[in-house]
Amino acid sequence: MSATRPAPPRPAAAGLGRRGLDGLRRCWGWLAPRLRRALTFWRRSIQARVVVSTVVLSAVVVSGVGWILLQQTRDGLLRHRADVVLGEVDAEVADARNRLEAASGRDVNPSRQQRDLVDPIIERGDSRGYAVVLAGPEGEDPPLRTGGGEYTSGLDLVSVPTSLEEHFDGPSRATAWTYTEIVRVSGAGGETRTSREPGIVVGSQVQLPSDGKTYTLYFLFPLSEEQETLGLVTRALLTAAGLLLALVAGLTWLVTRQVVTPIRMARRVAERLAAGRLQERLQVAGEDDIARLAYSFNQMATSLQRQIRQLEELSWVQRRFVSDVSHELRTPLTTVRMASDVLHDARESFDPATARSAELMQAELDRFENLLVDLLEISRFDAGAAVLSTENVNLGDLVRRVVDAARPLADQRGIRVAVEDPEEPVRADVDVRRVERILRNLVTNAIDHALADDPTEEVLVRLASDEESAAITVRDHGVGLAPGEASMVFNRFWRSDPARTRTSGGTGLGLAIAQEDAHLHGGWLQAWGRTGQGAQFRLTVPRHAGGTLRHSPLPLVPEDAMSSDAAVVVGPAGVVPRPEEGR
């Protein structure tokens, strides 16, 4: 019988770590959108950047000037205090020496003479705010660190710096001073308190007549008043700096507002002009540079509006002319077609020259009729009358139907057409007639531009799809296109080599119509090509009607092409050439 071992308890530290991570995630989730908004505002607001930059530079300058002023004030206060302290010490030492000389004949007890020397000085120090230490005699162990000597009550002897003690390591030393930290110890009820404050310590030597030895008097003067004065000056400078920075920020904001506000108005008007509201204009006020800029902007907008209207009128006239001519030509074309059919059917009874003429006339009438059909289709696109009739179909069936229809032309040129179809059906909501027309143009062009009678030549058609889009590529290894020609591949009536005979005929409008059909689906028609390496066209459409494309499931540049090749992307916005364009 097996027993289940209980799971070991989780360490408390692991739980605390997870709670800490959860807290950090929540904090970051709260902070991240605010940081993004702040960065977006910083990037978009020139006024904010100018104000912040000016305030930062002003703060640097004010900080530098304030630091220099504080240093000068501090040095001045210390120099003045040192002069006063040295004068007072000289007076005290002179008075002490006079008293020692007067008492030299009466008192020969060194201890009593030390107390008579230092006690009056300590009393005056208590009343005037300074402390006194009597150390010595010189040549013996210094008593300052061992608790010997006479000094002001409550003073910690560590207040006398070791460097100053070392200076008075012998007799006949000159008066010297230095900065120190005065430490005082006070206690009440068994509790000891320590206070510290900056100060100046001055040392001077005196000789006791009773034993002839040299003693050192240390005078410790606090710098509390100077510290308070320096703090007051610092607070005043900080207050003045804050007010100055606020004034600078306000002035900068007002100045930049006067410049940025007209620019923002010009941006809004420019956006409305770009949206088609050509009647928008800027308000002109004053005669300064901003007003003259607004006036020039309005003149430019008026000129553009006039030219755009002229181009629209010319475009409308051109479209109307093409549409009218296309419609008007259909009636005589029908009559000519009927006569041509009669002659073509009876050509076997004609002499060879007349029979050949009947065949040529029939072929040219077919081509002319195709041209009229294409012109009418282009007219519908230009007039915005083209609409989609979508249904959910298997694109693989459309591809195979187009390839089967183009196979006689491929066999005639000795070219093999292959279809690489995935195992899963590629389905999408498309207009079957328009997608078939796109594929027919792409496959026919690939066969027409492939290398004829080459046993290795192959036109490969591939299909793929994902959750959002479906794509079809048509790859050939023919003549390709030179750089710079790819930007014109979808232009109307354009051919890569007008001098070359086209076995498949064509009007020069096939790819232009295919481009418009792709636009109607909200899709992309893209092309890649290089001279001598062939070309590849890619059609990408949303799988669902009205969907938005973000990527294509098939690569545009073939796997057998160099990575430096480039492409021309044709999507709903038109032709977008990329660097080093190819077909």
Side-chain angles (χ1 to χ4, degrees), residues 430-480:
V430 297
D431 189 321
V432 175
R433 180 180 65 88
R434 296 184 185 278
V435 172
E436 280 190 355
R437 181 164 59 192
I438 296 174
L439 296 176
R440 185 167 55 250
N441 273 290
L442 297 182
V443 173
T444 303
N445 282 344
I447 296 173
D448 189 64
H449 289 85
L451 300 177
D453 300 325
D454 186 349
T456 63
E457 183 65 28
E458 178 185 67
V459 173
L460 178 62
V461 183
R462 298 178 61 195
L463 295 91
S465 65
D466 55 22
E467 295 181 357
E468 298 180 354
S469 57
I472 303 171
T473 61
V474 180
R475 170 76 162 113
D476 68 78
H477 298 82
V479 296

Short mmCIF file of all heavy atoms in Angstrom, two decimals, residues 430-480:
data_model
loop_
_atom_site.label_atom_id
_atom_site.label_comp_id
_atom_site.label_asym_id
_atom_site.label_seq_id
_atom_site.Cartn_x
_atom_site.Cartn_y
_atom_site.Cartn_z
N VAL A 430 -14.25 37.47 -51.56
CA VAL A 430 -13.75 38.26 -52.68
C VAL A 430 -14.81 38.34 -53.77
O VAL A 430 -15.78 37.57 -53.78
CB VAL A 430 -12.46 37.64 -53.26
CG1 VAL A 430 -11.34 37.64 -52.24
CG2 VAL A 430 -12.70 36.23 -53.78
N ASP A 431 -14.59 39.27 -54.67
CA ASP A 431 -15.37 39.36 -55.90
C ASP A 431 -14.70 38.43 -56.92
O ASP A 431 -13.58 38.69 -57.38
CB ASP A 431 -15.39 40.80 -56.41
CG ASP A 431 -16.36 41.00 -57.56
OD1 ASP A 431 -16.46 40.09 -58.42
OD2 ASP A 431 -17.00 42.07 -57.63
N VAL A 432 -15.36 37.34 -57.25
CA VAL A 432 -14.74 36.30 -58.08
C VAL A 432 -14.30 36.86 -59.43
O VAL A 432 -13.19 36.59 -59.91
CB VAL A 432 -15.71 35.12 -58.26
CG1 VAL A 432 -15.13 34.09 -59.21
CG2 VAL A 432 -16.04 34.49 -56.91
N ARG A 433 -15.15 37.66 -60.07
CA ARG A 433 -14.81 38.17 -61.39
C ARG A 433 -13.57 39.04 -61.35
O ARG A 433 -12.68 38.92 -62.20
CB ARG A 433 -16.00 38.99 -61.94
CG ARG A 433 -15.76 39.58 -63.32
CD ARG A 433 -16.98 40.35 -63.78
NE ARG A 433 -17.22 41.52 -62.94
CZ ARG A 433 -16.67 42.71 -63.17
NH1 ARG A 433 -15.82 42.88 -64.19
NH2 ARG A 433 -16.95 43.74 -62.39
N ARG A 434 -13.46 39.89 -60.35
CA ARG A 434 -12.31 40.81 -60.28
C ARG A 434 -11.02 40.06 -59.90
O ARG A 434 -9.95 40.35 -60.45
CB ARG A 434 -12.60 41.93 -59.28
CG ARG A 434 -13.77 42.80 -59.71
CD ARG A 434 -13.98 43.97 -58.75
NE ARG A 434 -15.17 44.73 -59.11
CZ ARG A 434 -15.19 45.66 -60.06
NH1 ARG A 434 -14.09 45.94 -60.73
NH2 ARG A 434 -16.30 46.32 -60.31
N VAL A 435 -11.10 39.13 -58.96
CA VAL A 435 -9.89 38.38 -58.58
C VAL A 435 -9.42 37.53 -59.75
O VAL A 435 -8.20 37.41 -60.00
CB VAL A 435 -10.16 37.53 -57.33
CG1 VAL A 435 -8.99 36.60 -57.04
CG2 VAL A 435 -10.40 38.44 -56.12
N GLU A 436 -10.36 36.91 -60.49
CA GLU A 436 -9.96 36.16 -61.67
C GLU A 436 -9.27 37.06 -62.69
O GLU A 436 -8.30 36.67 -63.34
CB GLU A 436 -11.18 35.49 -62.30
CG GLU A 436 -11.59 34.20 -61.61
CD GLU A 436 -12.63 33.46 -62.43
OE1 GLU A 436 -13.09 34.00 -63.46
OE2 GLU A 436 -13.00 32.35 -62.03
N ARG A 437 -9.76 38.28 -62.83
CA ARG A 437 -9.13 39.21 -63.77
C ARG A 437 -7.72 39.57 -63.31
O ARG A 437 -6.79 39.66 -64.12
CB ARG A 437 -10.00 40.47 -63.91
CG ARG A 437 -9.45 41.48 -64.89
CD ARG A 437 -10.50 42.48 -65.28
NE ARG A 437 -11.01 43.20 -64.12
CZ ARG A 437 -12.11 43.97 -64.17
NH1 ARG A 437 -12.80 44.09 -65.28
NH2 ARG A 437 -12.52 44.60 -63.08
N ILE A 438 -7.53 39.79 -61.99
CA ILE A 438 -6.19 40.08 -61.48
C ILE A 438 -5.26 38.92 -61.76
O ILE A 438 -4.15 39.08 -62.29
CB ILE A 438 -6.23 40.37 -59.96
CG1 ILE A 438 -7.04 41.62 -59.66
CG2 ILE A 438 -4.82 40.51 -59.39
CD1 ILE A 438 -7.26 41.88 -58.18
N LEU A 439 -5.69 37.70 -61.43
CA LEU A 439 -4.83 36.53 -61.62
C LEU A 439 -4.56 36.28 -63.11
O LEU A 439 -3.45 35.89 -63.48
CB LEU A 439 -5.50 35.30 -61.00
CG LEU A 439 -5.69 35.35 -59.47
CD1 LEU A 439 -6.43 34.11 -59.00
CD2 LEU A 439 -4.34 35.45 -58.77
N ARG A 440 -5.57 36.50 -63.96
CA ARG A 440 -5.36 36.30 -65.39
C ARG A 440 -4.29 37.25 -65.93
O ARG A 440 -3.43 36.87 -66.72
CB ARG A 440 -6.68 36.50 -66.13
CG ARG A 440 -6.61 36.19 -67.61
CD ARG A 440 -7.99 36.09 -68.23
NE ARG A 440 -8.80 37.27 -67.99
CZ ARG A 440 -9.86 37.31 -67.18
NH1 ARG A 440 -10.22 36.22 -66.51
NH2 ARG A 440 -10.55 38.42 -67.02
N ASN A 441 -4.33 38.51 -65.45
CA ASN A 441 -3.30 39.48 -65.87
C ASN A 441 -1.92 39.06 -65.38
O ASN A 441 -0.94 39.12 -66.12
CB ASN A 441 -3.65 40.87 -65.32
CG ASN A 441 -4.56 41.64 -66.25
OD1 ASN A 441 -4.16 42.07 -67.33
ND2 ASN A 441 -5.81 41.81 -65.82
N LEU A 442 -1.83 38.62 -64.10
CA LEU A 442 -0.53 38.27 -63.54
C LEU A 442 0.05 37.03 -64.22
O LEU A 442 1.24 37.00 -64.58
CB LEU A 442 -0.65 38.04 -62.03
CG LEU A 442 -1.09 39.23 -61.18
CD1 LEU A 442 -1.11 38.85 -59.71
CD2 LEU A 442 -0.21 40.44 -61.41
N VAL A 443 -0.77 36.00 -64.41
CA VAL A 443 -0.27 34.76 -65.03
C VAL A 443 0.09 35.00 -66.49
O VAL A 443 1.13 34.54 -66.97
CB VAL A 443 -1.32 33.65 -64.87
CG1 VAL A 443 -0.90 32.41 -65.66
CG2 VAL A 443 -1.50 33.30 -63.40
N THR A 444 -0.76 35.74 -67.21
CA THR A 444 -0.47 36.02 -68.62
C THR A 444 0.79 36.84 -68.77
O THR A 444 1.64 36.58 -69.64
CB THR A 444 -1.66 36.74 -69.26
OG1 THR A 444 -2.84 35.96 -69.12
CG2 THR A 444 -1.42 36.98 -70.74
N ASN A 445 0.99 37.84 -67.91
CA ASN A 445 2.21 38.65 -67.95
C ASN A 445 3.43 37.81 -67.63
O ASN A 445 4.50 37.96 -68.25
CB ASN A 445 2.12 39.81 -66.96
CG ASN A 445 1.26 40.94 -67.49
OD1 ASN A 445 0.96 41.00 -68.68
ND2 ASN A 445 0.85 41.84 -66.61
N ALA A 446 3.31 36.90 -66.65
CA ALA A 446 4.44 36.04 -66.30
C ALA A 446 4.82 35.15 -67.48
O ALA A 446 6.01 34.97 -67.78
CB ALA A 446 4.10 35.20 -65.07
N ILE A 447 3.83 34.57 -68.16
CA ILE A 447 4.13 33.74 -69.33
C ILE A 447 4.73 34.59 -70.44
O ILE A 447 5.70 34.18 -71.11
CB ILE A 447 2.85 33.03 -69.80
CG1 ILE A 447 2.35 32.07 -68.72
CG2 ILE A 447 3.07 32.32 -71.11
CD1 ILE A 447 1.00 31.45 -69.04
N ASP A 448 4.21 35.78 -70.65
CA ASP A 448 4.67 36.63 -71.74
C ASP A 448 6.10 37.11 -71.51
O ASP A 448 6.84 37.32 -72.47
CB ASP A 448 3.72 37.82 -71.87
CG ASP A 448 3.99 38.64 -73.12
OD1 ASP A 448 3.83 38.11 -74.22
OD2 ASP A 448 4.40 39.81 -72.97
N HIS A 449 6.49 37.31 -70.22
CA HIS A 449 7.84 37.81 -69.93
C HIS A 449 8.83 36.70 -69.60
O HIS A 449 10.01 36.98 -69.35
CB HIS A 449 7.80 38.79 -68.76
CG HIS A 449 7.16 40.10 -69.11
ND1 HIS A 449 5.80 40.30 -69.07
CD2 HIS A 449 7.70 41.29 -69.51
CE1 HIS A 449 5.51 41.53 -69.41
NE2 HIS A 449 6.64 42.16 -69.69
N ALA A 450 8.38 35.45 -69.58
CA ALA A 450 9.29 34.35 -69.30
C ALA A 450 10.16 34.07 -70.53
O ALA A 450 9.91 34.57 -71.63
CB ALA A 450 8.49 33.10 -68.91
N LEU A 451 11.20 33.27 -70.31
CA LEU A 451 12.12 32.92 -71.40
C LEU A 451 11.52 31.77 -72.20
O LEU A 451 11.37 30.65 -71.70
CB LEU A 451 13.48 32.52 -70.83
CG LEU A 451 14.19 33.60 -70.00
CD1 LEU A 451 15.49 33.06 -69.44
CD2 LEU A 451 14.46 34.84 -70.84
N ALA A 452 11.15 32.05 -73.46
CA ALA A 452 10.47 31.05 -74.29
C ALA A 452 11.42 29.92 -74.66
O ALA A 452 12.64 30.11 -74.79
CB ALA A 452 9.92 31.72 -75.55
N ASP A 453 10.83 28.73 -74.84
CA ASP A 453 11.55 27.53 -75.29
C ASP A 453 12.70 27.15 -74.36
O ASP A 453 13.68 26.55 -74.78
CB ASP A 453 12.08 27.75 -76.72
CG ASP A 453 10.95 28.02 -77.71
OD1 ASP A 453 9.87 27.43 -77.51
OD2 ASP A 453 11.16 28.83 -78.64
N ASP A 454 12.62 27.52 -73.10
CA ASP A 454 13.62 27.11 -72.12
C ASP A 454 13.03 25.97 -71.30
O ASP A 454 12.02 26.16 -70.59
CB ASP A 454 13.99 28.28 -71.22
CG ASP A 454 15.13 27.94 -70.27
OD1 ASP A 454 15.49 26.75 -70.18
OD2 ASP A 454 15.66 28.87 -69.63
N PRO A 455 13.60 24.76 -71.38
CA PRO A 455 12.97 23.61 -70.68
C PRO A 455 12.94 23.76 -69.18
O PRO A 455 12.15 23.10 -68.50
CB PRO A 455 13.85 22.43 -71.11
CG PRO A 455 15.15 23.03 -71.53
CD PRO A 455 14.83 24.36 -72.12
N THR A 456 13.81 24.61 -68.62
CA THR A 456 13.83 24.81 -67.16
C THR A 456 12.92 25.95 -66.73
O THR A 456 12.77 26.18 -65.53
CB THR A 456 15.26 25.11 -66.70
OG1 THR A 456 15.71 26.34 -67.30
CG2 THR A 456 16.20 23.99 -67.10
N GLU A 457 12.37 26.68 -67.68
CA GLU A 457 11.54 27.84 -67.33
C GLU A 457 10.23 27.37 -66.71
O GLU A 457 9.57 26.43 -67.21
CB GLU A 457 11.27 28.69 -68.56
CG GLU A 457 10.47 29.95 -68.27
CD GLU A 457 11.22 30.91 -67.39
OE1 GLU A 457 12.47 30.91 -67.42
OE2 GLU A 457 10.57 31.67 -66.66
N GLU A 458 9.83 28.04 -65.63
CA GLU A 458 8.61 27.66 -64.93
C GLU A 458 7.99 28.90 -64.30
O GLU A 458 8.69 29.74 -63.74
CB GLU A 458 8.92 26.63 -63.84
CG GLU A 458 7.69 26.22 -63.04
CD GLU A 458 8.05 25.29 -61.88
OE1 GLU A 458 8.73 25.76 -60.94
OE2 GLU A 458 7.65 24.12 -61.92
N VAL A 459 6.69 29.02 -64.43
CA VAL A 459 5.92 30.04 -63.73
C VAL A 459 5.26 29.36 -62.54
O VAL A 459 4.48 28.40 -62.72
CB VAL A 459 4.88 30.68 -64.67
CG1 VAL A 459 3.98 31.62 -63.87
CG2 VAL A 459 5.57 31.43 -65.80
N LEU A 460 5.60 29.82 -61.34
CA LEU A 460 5.12 29.18 -60.11
C LEU A 460 4.08 30.09 -59.44
O LEU A 460 4.33 31.27 -59.20
CB LEU A 460 6.28 28.94 -59.15
CG LEU A 460 5.91 28.33 -57.79
CD1 LEU A 460 5.29 26.94 -57.98
CD2 LEU A 460 7.14 28.25 -56.89
N VAL A 461 2.93 29.51 -59.16
CA VAL A 461 1.85 30.22 -58.46
C VAL A 461 1.70 29.57 -57.09
O VAL A 461 1.49 28.35 -56.99
CB VAL A 461 0.53 30.14 -59.25
CG1 VAL A 461 -0.56 30.94 -58.53
CG2 VAL A 461 0.72 30.65 -60.67
N ARG A 462 1.80 30.38 -56.04
CA ARG A 462 1.71 29.88 -54.66
C ARG A 462 0.54 30.55 -53.95
O ARG A 462 0.20 31.72 -54.22
CB ARG A 462 3.00 30.15 -53.89
CG ARG A 462 4.22 29.48 -54.47
CD ARG A 462 5.46 29.86 -53.66
NE ARG A 462 5.33 29.44 -52.27
CZ ARG A 462 6.12 29.89 -51.29
NH1 ARG A 462 7.07 30.77 -51.56
NH2 ARG A 462 5.96 29.45 -50.06
N LEU A 463 -0.04 29.82 -53.00
CA LEU A 463 -1.14 30.33 -52.18
C LEU A 463 -0.82 30.08 -50.72
O LEU A 463 -0.17 29.09 -50.38
CB LEU A 463 -2.47 29.65 -52.52
CG LEU A 463 -3.07 29.86 -53.91
CD1 LEU A 463 -2.59 28.78 -54.86
CD2 LEU A 463 -4.61 29.83 -53.83
N ALA A 464 -1.30 30.97 -49.86
CA ALA A 464 -1.16 30.80 -48.41
C ALA A 464 -2.18 31.72 -47.73
O ALA A 464 -2.69 32.68 -48.33
CB ALA A 464 0.25 31.11 -47.94
N SER A 465 -2.45 31.42 -46.47
CA SER A 465 -3.40 32.24 -45.71
C SER A 465 -3.09 32.12 -44.23
O SER A 465 -2.40 31.20 -43.78
CB SER A 465 -4.85 31.80 -45.99
OG SER A 465 -5.06 30.48 -45.52
N ASP A 466 -3.60 33.09 -43.49
CA ASP A 466 -3.58 33.03 -42.03
C ASP A 466 -4.95 33.47 -41.53
O ASP A 466 -5.92 33.48 -42.29
CB ASP A 466 -2.44 33.88 -41.46
CG ASP A 466 -2.49 35.32 -41.94
OD1 ASP A 466 -3.59 35.76 -42.35
OD2 ASP A 466 -1.45 36.00 -41.91
N GLU A 467 -5.03 33.86 -40.28
CA GLU A 467 -6.34 34.19 -39.71
C GLU A 467 -6.92 35.47 -40.31
O GLU A 467 -8.15 35.62 -40.33
CB GLU A 467 -6.23 34.34 -38.19
CG GLU A 467 -5.86 33.05 -37.48
CD GLU A 467 -5.79 33.25 -35.98
OE1 GLU A 467 -5.98 34.40 -35.54
OE2 GLU A 467 -5.57 32.25 -35.27
N GLU A 468 -6.07 36.39 -40.78
CA GLU A 468 -6.56 37.69 -41.22
C GLU A 468 -6.50 37.89 -42.72
O GLU A 468 -7.28 38.69 -43.26
CB GLU A 468 -5.76 38.81 -40.53
CG GLU A 468 -5.89 38.83 -39.03
CD GLU A 468 -5.08 39.97 -38.41
OE1 GLU A 468 -4.35 40.63 -39.17
OE2 GLU A 468 -5.19 40.17 -37.19
N SER A 469 -5.57 37.24 -43.42
CA SER A 469 -5.35 37.56 -44.83
C SER A 469 -5.06 36.31 -45.64
O SER A 469 -4.69 35.26 -45.09
CB SER A 469 -4.19 38.56 -44.97
OG SER A 469 -3.02 38.02 -44.37
N ALA A 470 -5.20 36.46 -46.96
CA ALA A 470 -4.85 35.41 -47.91
C ALA A 470 -3.99 36.04 -48.99
O ALA A 470 -4.18 37.22 -49.35
CB ALA A 470 -6.10 34.78 -48.51
N ALA A 471 -3.03 35.28 -49.50
CA ALA A 471 -2.08 35.84 -50.47
C ALA A 471 -1.85 34.84 -51.60
O ALA A 471 -1.91 33.62 -51.40
CB ALA A 471 -0.76 36.19 -49.81
N ILE A 472 -1.56 35.40 -52.80
CA ILE A 472 -1.22 34.62 -53.99
C ILE A 472 -0.01 35.27 -54.63
O ILE A 472 0.00 36.50 -54.83
CB ILE A 472 -2.39 34.57 -54.99
CG1 ILE A 472 -3.65 34.00 -54.34
CG2 ILE A 472 -2.00 33.76 -56.23
CD1 ILE A 472 -4.88 34.11 -55.20
N THR A 473 1.03 34.51 -54.93
CA THR A 473 2.20 35.04 -55.62
C THR A 473 2.35 34.35 -56.96
O THR A 473 2.05 33.16 -57.10
CB THR A 473 3.47 34.83 -54.79
OG1 THR A 473 3.68 33.42 -54.58
CG2 THR A 473 3.39 35.54 -53.45
N VAL A 474 2.83 35.10 -57.94
CA VAL A 474 3.12 34.58 -59.28
C VAL A 474 4.57 34.91 -59.56
O VAL A 474 4.95 36.08 -59.65
CB VAL A 474 2.19 35.21 -60.34
CG1 VAL A 474 2.52 34.65 -61.72
CG2 VAL A 474 0.73 34.94 -59.99
N ARG A 475 5.40 33.85 -59.74
CA ARG A 475 6.85 34.01 -59.89
C ARG A 475 7.29 33.51 -61.26
O ARG A 475 6.89 32.43 -61.71
CB ARG A 475 7.56 33.20 -58.80
CG ARG A 475 9.07 33.08 -58.97
CD ARG A 475 9.74 34.37 -58.56
NE ARG A 475 11.15 34.19 -58.30
CZ ARG A 475 12.13 34.70 -59.04
NH1 ARG A 475 11.85 35.41 -60.12
NH2 ARG A 475 13.39 34.50 -58.70
N ASP A 476 8.07 34.34 -61.95
CA ASP A 476 8.69 33.91 -63.21
C ASP A 476 10.18 34.20 -63.13
O ASP A 476 10.64 34.96 -62.29
CB ASP A 476 8.06 34.62 -64.42
CG ASP A 476 8.37 36.11 -64.45
OD1 ASP A 476 9.50 36.47 -64.84
OD2 ASP A 476 7.49 36.91 -64.08
N HIS A 477 10.96 33.61 -64.01
CA HIS A 477 12.41 33.80 -64.05
C HIS A 477 12.83 34.40 -65.39
O HIS A 477 13.85 34.02 -65.96
CB HIS A 477 13.14 32.47 -63.81
CG HIS A 477 12.85 31.87 -62.48
ND1 HIS A 477 11.71 31.13 -62.23
CD2 HIS A 477 13.53 31.90 -61.30
CE1 HIS A 477 11.70 30.72 -60.97
NE2 HIS A 477 12.80 31.18 -60.38
N GLY A 478 12.02 35.32 -65.87
CA GLY A 478 12.27 35.90 -67.19
C GLY A 478 13.14 37.12 -67.17
O GLY A 478 14.11 37.21 -66.40
N VAL A 479 12.79 38.12 -67.98
CA VAL A 479 13.64 39.30 -68.17
C VAL A 479 13.63 40.20 -66.96
O VAL A 479 14.59 40.95 -66.73
CB VAL A 479 13.19 40.07 -69.44
CG1 VAL A 479 13.39 39.23 -70.68
CG2 VAL A 479 11.72 40.49 -69.32
N GLY A 480 12.57 40.20 -66.18
CA GLY A 480 12.52 41.05 -65.00
C GLY A 480 12.38 42.51 -65.37
O GLY A 480 12.05 42.88 -66.51
#
